[in-house]
Amino acid sequence: MASFPSIHAGQGGRGKGSQVLAAVTRSPGEMVVRDVTGPGRARAGHVIVRPERVGICGSDFHLFSGDVGALSGSRDFYPRIQGHEVSAIVEDPGDGEVAAGERVAILPLLPCGRCYPCRIGRPNVCPAFRLVGVHLDGGLAERLEVPAGLVFGTADLDPDSACFVEPASVAVHALARGRLRAGEQVVVFGAGPIGLATLVAATHAGARVLSVDPVPGRRDLAKRLGAEVVAWGSQPELADLTREWTGGDGPPLIVETSGEAGVLAQAIEMAPSAGRVVVVSLSSGTVPLRSGAFPEKEIDVIGSSCATAEDFAAAIRLVVANRAAIAHVFSHHFPLARAAEAFEFAMNRPPDAIKIVVTVN
Ligand SMILES: [Zn+2]
Ligand SMILES: [Zn+2]
C-alpha cells in the first residue's frame, strides 16, 4: 500500500480537533450533514485549511450514487466526505510553504510514486492514485487536513474562481495532450464546465474555438466566454459546418468533453488527415469505430485524465487572467447544510445549471 497518510477530516492530527460540520456520504445516495471531529494541529508535511467553496462535478455522482465500479481501486469508499474542487483558507500551515490566512486551491491527486506512469512523470494516470474527495475525505467539511504538496496559493482570486482551478487544470492538461498551437482552430464538444474551461484555455493560448452543445443557454455562455462559433446539429450538418469554418480541411484539434460516446466516432470522421482528437469525458458507453480512419488519416486519438502539478499551476494563471469570463460559469450556490440538496439538484442536470457550488465557510 502507498505510504501517504490519511487525511480523513474525522481523524485528528496531533490530538483530535474540535467538532466541525461536514457533509458525509454515508452510503450510496445518503448524504448527511453532521458534526464530525475535525483535524487537530497539522501533522508533519500537512496543512490544515478551512474550505470556502466546493464545486460539484459530474465525477462526484459516481461515488454519491454508488457507481463505484467507475472509480479506480477497490477500496472502502463509505463513509466519505466528498468534494475535490476546493478553494480554502490556510488555517495551520504546519511546515508547508503557504502562509496562514492565504487562499489556496487543492490539487486532489495523490499518486503512488512507484508504478510505470509515476516513474515516467505521468502521475495523473497512476492506477493506484488516491483522490481527495473520492478515496480520501474532501472539501465538504469546515476544516480539512491535506498533504502540503497539494496546496497551491491562488494569489488574489476570489473563492469561487479559486475552486474553478481544479476543472481548469483538467482543460489545461487536455490541451497539452492535444499539443494545441496558437492560431489553431479547435472544436470543443460539450459546453459544460470542462468544455467551457477548455474553450477559455484554448482562446487564452491564441486558438480559435467552435463550441458544440445541444443546450441553447450553454451555447450562449460559450459565446460570451470567447467561442468564435457555437453550433448544434446532426452529424452531417456539424461535419459540413466545421469543414466550412476551417476552409475545407476540418478542425486539426477536436476535444470531447460532452460524455456522449458517439462523439468519438463523429470526431474521428470530422478530423482531417494528421488531426488530433482528445477524449476528456468519462463515458462508459461503447461505440463502433471505423478502424481504417486511423491509418488512412494518420490521426492521433488521445486520452486525457485529471492534471499534473504543472497543469495545476498553469490553471491558476489561466483563471487569474480570465476571472471575469469564468465568473459566468457559477450558476447556483448552496450552503453546506444543504449539500445533499445541491447534489440531487446537480444530478438532475437542469438546463440552466453550469457550475453548482457549495459554500462551506
Ligand atoms: Zn471534477
Ligand atoms: Zn503510481
Side-chain angles (χ1 to χ4, degrees), residues 325-348:
I326 287 168
H328 297 297
V329 309
F330 307 106
S331 59
H332 297 80
H333 287 81
F334 288 80
L336 179 61
R338 291 169 57 205
E341 193 186 327
F343 267 63
E344 298 287 356
F345 178 79
M347 284 183 80
N348 286 329

Short mmCIF file of all heavy atoms in Angstrom, two decimals, residues 325-348:
data_model
loop_
_atom_site.label_atom_id
_atom_site.label_comp_id
_atom_site.label_asym_id
_atom_site.label_seq_id
_atom_site.Cartn_x
_atom_site.Cartn_y
_atom_site.Cartn_z
N ALA A 325 -14.51 36.37 -17.21
CA ALA A 325 -15.28 35.44 -18.05
C ALA A 325 -15.73 34.24 -17.23
O ALA A 325 -16.90 33.82 -17.30
CB ALA A 325 -14.42 34.98 -19.24
N ILE A 326 -14.83 33.70 -16.42
CA ILE A 326 -15.13 32.48 -15.66
C ILE A 326 -16.23 32.73 -14.63
O ILE A 326 -16.99 31.81 -14.29
CB ILE A 326 -13.82 31.94 -15.02
CG1 ILE A 326 -12.95 31.33 -16.13
CG2 ILE A 326 -14.10 30.92 -13.92
CD1 ILE A 326 -11.54 31.01 -15.71
N ALA A 327 -16.39 33.96 -14.18
CA ALA A 327 -17.44 34.28 -13.20
C ALA A 327 -18.82 33.88 -13.71
O ALA A 327 -19.72 33.59 -12.92
CB ALA A 327 -17.42 35.78 -12.88
N HIS A 328 -19.00 33.81 -15.04
CA HIS A 328 -20.31 33.45 -15.61
C HIS A 328 -20.65 31.97 -15.44
O HIS A 328 -21.80 31.59 -15.66
CB HIS A 328 -20.35 33.79 -17.10
CG HIS A 328 -20.20 35.26 -17.38
ND1 HIS A 328 -21.12 36.19 -16.96
CD2 HIS A 328 -19.24 35.95 -18.02
CE1 HIS A 328 -20.73 37.39 -17.35
NE2 HIS A 328 -19.58 37.28 -17.98
N VAL A 329 -19.69 31.12 -15.10
CA VAL A 329 -19.99 29.68 -15.02
C VAL A 329 -20.67 29.29 -13.70
O VAL A 329 -21.27 28.23 -13.61
CB VAL A 329 -18.75 28.77 -15.24
CG1 VAL A 329 -18.01 29.15 -16.52
CG2 VAL A 329 -17.83 28.76 -14.05
N PHE A 330 -20.58 30.16 -12.69
CA PHE A 330 -21.13 29.79 -11.37
C PHE A 330 -22.62 30.09 -11.37
O PHE A 330 -23.05 31.22 -11.21
CB PHE A 330 -20.41 30.52 -10.25
CG PHE A 330 -18.92 30.34 -10.31
CD1 PHE A 330 -18.09 31.36 -10.74
CD2 PHE A 330 -18.36 29.11 -10.01
CE1 PHE A 330 -16.73 31.17 -10.85
CE2 PHE A 330 -17.00 28.90 -10.13
CZ PHE A 330 -16.18 29.93 -10.54
N SER A 331 -23.43 29.05 -11.56
CA SER A 331 -24.87 29.26 -11.76
C SER A 331 -25.67 29.14 -10.48
O SER A 331 -26.71 29.78 -10.35
CB SER A 331 -25.39 28.27 -12.80
OG SER A 331 -25.17 26.94 -12.38
N HIS A 332 -25.23 28.32 -9.55
CA HIS A 332 -26.03 28.09 -8.33
C HIS A 332 -25.09 27.90 -7.14
O HIS A 332 -24.05 27.25 -7.27
CB HIS A 332 -26.90 26.84 -8.48
CG HIS A 332 -27.93 26.93 -9.57
ND1 HIS A 332 -27.62 26.72 -10.89
CD2 HIS A 332 -29.26 27.23 -9.52
CE1 HIS A 332 -28.72 26.88 -11.63
NE2 HIS A 332 -29.72 27.19 -10.82
N HIS A 333 -25.51 28.44 -5.99
CA HIS A 333 -24.79 28.23 -4.74
C HIS A 333 -25.72 27.63 -3.69
O HIS A 333 -26.87 28.02 -3.60
CB HIS A 333 -24.24 29.57 -4.19
CG HIS A 333 -23.08 30.09 -4.98
ND1 HIS A 333 -23.22 30.77 -6.17
CD2 HIS A 333 -21.73 30.03 -4.75
CE1 HIS A 333 -22.03 31.11 -6.64
NE2 HIS A 333 -21.10 30.67 -5.80
N PHE A 334 -25.20 26.68 -2.93
CA PHE A 334 -25.93 26.08 -1.82
C PHE A 334 -25.04 26.13 -0.58
O PHE A 334 -23.83 25.90 -0.70
CB PHE A 334 -26.24 24.60 -2.10
CG PHE A 334 -27.30 24.35 -3.14
CD1 PHE A 334 -26.99 24.42 -4.50
CD2 PHE A 334 -28.61 24.04 -2.78
CE1 PHE A 334 -27.96 24.19 -5.47
CE2 PHE A 334 -29.58 23.80 -3.74
CZ PHE A 334 -29.26 23.87 -5.09
N PRO A 335 -25.62 26.40 0.60
CA PRO A 335 -24.79 26.32 1.81
C PRO A 335 -24.47 24.87 2.16
O PRO A 335 -25.17 23.95 1.71
CB PRO A 335 -25.70 26.96 2.89
CG PRO A 335 -27.09 26.76 2.39
CD PRO A 335 -27.01 26.77 0.88
N LEU A 336 -23.43 24.66 2.96
CA LEU A 336 -23.03 23.30 3.34
C LEU A 336 -24.19 22.52 3.94
O LEU A 336 -24.34 21.32 3.67
CB LEU A 336 -21.86 23.37 4.34
CG LEU A 336 -21.32 22.04 4.86
CD1 LEU A 336 -20.78 21.17 3.73
CD2 LEU A 336 -20.24 22.27 5.92
N ALA A 337 -25.02 23.19 4.73
CA ALA A 337 -26.15 22.49 5.37
C ALA A 337 -27.09 21.87 4.34
O ALA A 337 -27.82 20.93 4.65
CB ALA A 337 -26.92 23.47 6.27
N ARG A 338 -27.08 22.40 3.10
CA ARG A 338 -27.97 21.87 2.05
C ARG A 338 -27.16 21.15 0.97
O ARG A 338 -27.58 21.08 -0.19
CB ARG A 338 -28.78 23.02 1.45
CG ARG A 338 -29.81 23.59 2.42
CD ARG A 338 -30.42 24.90 1.91
NE ARG A 338 -31.03 24.75 0.60
CZ ARG A 338 -31.21 25.77 -0.28
NH1 ARG A 338 -30.80 26.98 0.04
NH2 ARG A 338 -31.78 25.55 -1.43
N ALA A 339 -26.02 20.57 1.34
CA ALA A 339 -25.15 19.91 0.36
C ALA A 339 -25.86 18.75 -0.34
O ALA A 339 -25.69 18.55 -1.55
CB ALA A 339 -23.86 19.43 1.02
N ALA A 340 -26.65 17.99 0.41
CA ALA A 340 -27.34 16.84 -0.20
C ALA A 340 -28.31 17.33 -1.27
O ALA A 340 -28.40 16.74 -2.36
CB ALA A 340 -28.08 16.03 0.87
N GLU A 341 -29.01 18.41 -0.96
CA GLU A 341 -29.93 19.00 -1.93
C GLU A 341 -29.16 19.49 -3.17
O GLU A 341 -29.62 19.33 -4.31
CB GLU A 341 -30.62 20.19 -1.25
CG GLU A 341 -31.81 20.74 -1.96
CD GLU A 341 -32.30 22.01 -1.25
OE1 GLU A 341 -32.19 22.10 0.00
OE2 GLU A 341 -32.76 22.90 -1.95
N ALA A 342 -27.98 20.05 -2.94
CA ALA A 342 -27.15 20.52 -4.06
C ALA A 342 -26.79 19.35 -4.98
O ALA A 342 -26.82 19.48 -6.20
CB ALA A 342 -25.90 21.20 -3.53
N PHE A 343 -26.44 18.20 -4.39
CA PHE A 343 -26.08 17.03 -5.19
C PHE A 343 -27.29 16.53 -5.98
O PHE A 343 -27.17 16.22 -7.17
CB PHE A 343 -25.53 15.91 -4.29
CG PHE A 343 -24.03 15.95 -4.17
CD1 PHE A 343 -23.39 17.04 -3.60
CD2 PHE A 343 -23.25 14.90 -4.64
CE1 PHE A 343 -22.00 17.08 -3.50
CE2 PHE A 343 -21.86 14.93 -4.54
CZ PHE A 343 -21.24 16.02 -3.98
N GLU A 344 -28.44 16.44 -5.32
CA GLU A 344 -29.65 15.98 -6.02
C GLU A 344 -29.98 16.91 -7.17
O GLU A 344 -30.29 16.49 -8.28
CB GLU A 344 -30.85 15.93 -5.04
CG GLU A 344 -30.68 14.97 -3.87
CD GLU A 344 -30.81 13.51 -4.28
OE1 GLU A 344 -31.10 13.23 -5.46
OE2 GLU A 344 -30.60 12.63 -3.41
N PHE A 345 -29.88 18.20 -6.89
CA PHE A 345 -30.16 19.22 -7.90
C PHE A 345 -29.21 19.06 -9.09
O PHE A 345 -29.63 19.05 -10.25
CB PHE A 345 -30.01 20.60 -7.26
CG PHE A 345 -30.23 21.76 -8.19
CD1 PHE A 345 -31.52 22.17 -8.53
CD2 PHE A 345 -29.15 22.46 -8.73
CE1 PHE A 345 -31.72 23.24 -9.40
CE2 PHE A 345 -29.35 23.52 -9.60
CZ PHE A 345 -30.64 23.90 -9.93
N ALA A 346 -27.93 18.90 -8.79
CA ALA A 346 -26.92 18.78 -9.85
C ALA A 346 -27.14 17.52 -10.69
O ALA A 346 -26.97 17.53 -11.90
CB ALA A 346 -25.52 18.78 -9.25
N MET A 347 -27.54 16.42 -10.02
CA MET A 347 -27.71 15.16 -10.75
C MET A 347 -28.89 15.21 -11.70
O MET A 347 -28.93 14.46 -12.68
CB MET A 347 -27.88 14.00 -9.76
CG MET A 347 -26.56 13.60 -9.13
SD MET A 347 -26.71 12.20 -8.03
CE MET A 347 -26.72 10.83 -9.18
N ASN A 348 -29.84 16.09 -11.43
CA ASN A 348 -30.99 16.24 -12.35
C ASN A 348 -30.64 17.06 -13.58
O ASN A 348 -31.46 17.18 -14.49
CB ASN A 348 -32.17 16.87 -11.61
CG ASN A 348 -32.82 15.88 -10.67
OD1 ASN A 348 -32.81 14.69 -10.93
ND2 ASN A 348 -33.34 16.37 -9.55
#
